[in-house]
Amino acid sequence: HVVESGGGLVQEGGSLRLSCTASGGRFDDTYMGWFRQAPGKQREGVSCINYNGGKTYYEDSVTGRFTVSRDNAKNTLYLQMNNLKPDDTAMYYCAAGRSPYCSGVWYTTRNFATWGQGTQVTVSS
């Protein structure tokens, strides 16, 4: 079970930090990911982080602007989003993986077993 929070309305160039709190399972032995889905578009992978935070992956358009991190002591995953753009507007989802390490195709939804309900991010121009 994972629950996202931290979404909201922000102006272009602004920042938001999303959080995802996990419960009911082992958080510290699995990779975690962030996905997003804009209206009329497919869900796309934004970022993935290994079980211990030792390696991270990003979708090209967010590289250098978004930072994923995790605090295993708090069972919490974060996504710091800076320099937000209108194209970042979407519902953002947290997801728990199936093993300790993100795979080479981490951005594929079938690689994730547990999904949250999402938190809306809206960036105005």
Side-chain angles (χ1 to χ4, degrees), residues 86-107:
D87 283 350
D88 295 319
T89 296
M91 185 72 77
Y92 282 71
Y93 298 90
C94 165
R98 305 177 187 276
S99 67
Y101 300 99
C102 304
S103 73
V105 288
W106 61 266
Y107 44 84

Side-chain angles (χ1 to χ4, degrees), residues 44-60:
E44 65 173 358
V46 174
S47 183
C48 190
I49 184 168
N50 284 349
Y51 77 104
N52 61 357
K55 193 165 180 64
T56 57
Y57 301 81
Y58 298 95
E59 190 267 332
D60 287 348

Side-chain angles (χ1 to χ4, degrees), residues 61-82:
S61 71
V62 308
T63 298
R65 300 188 298 122
F66 290 11
T67 302
V68 63
S69 61
R70 64 191 297 162
D71 185 340
N72 285 349
K74 296 181 178 179
N75 283 2
T76 302
L77 174 73
Y78 303 99
L79 184 68
Q80 177 67 43
M81 305 186 295
N82 298 329

Side-chain angles (χ1 to χ4, degrees), residues 11-13 65 83-90 121-125:
Q11 289 190 332
E12 185 173 7
R65 300 188 298 122
N83 191 21
L84 283 160
K85 304 177 181 180
D87 283 350
D88 295 319
T89 296
V121 172
T122 303
V123 184
S124 63
S125 57

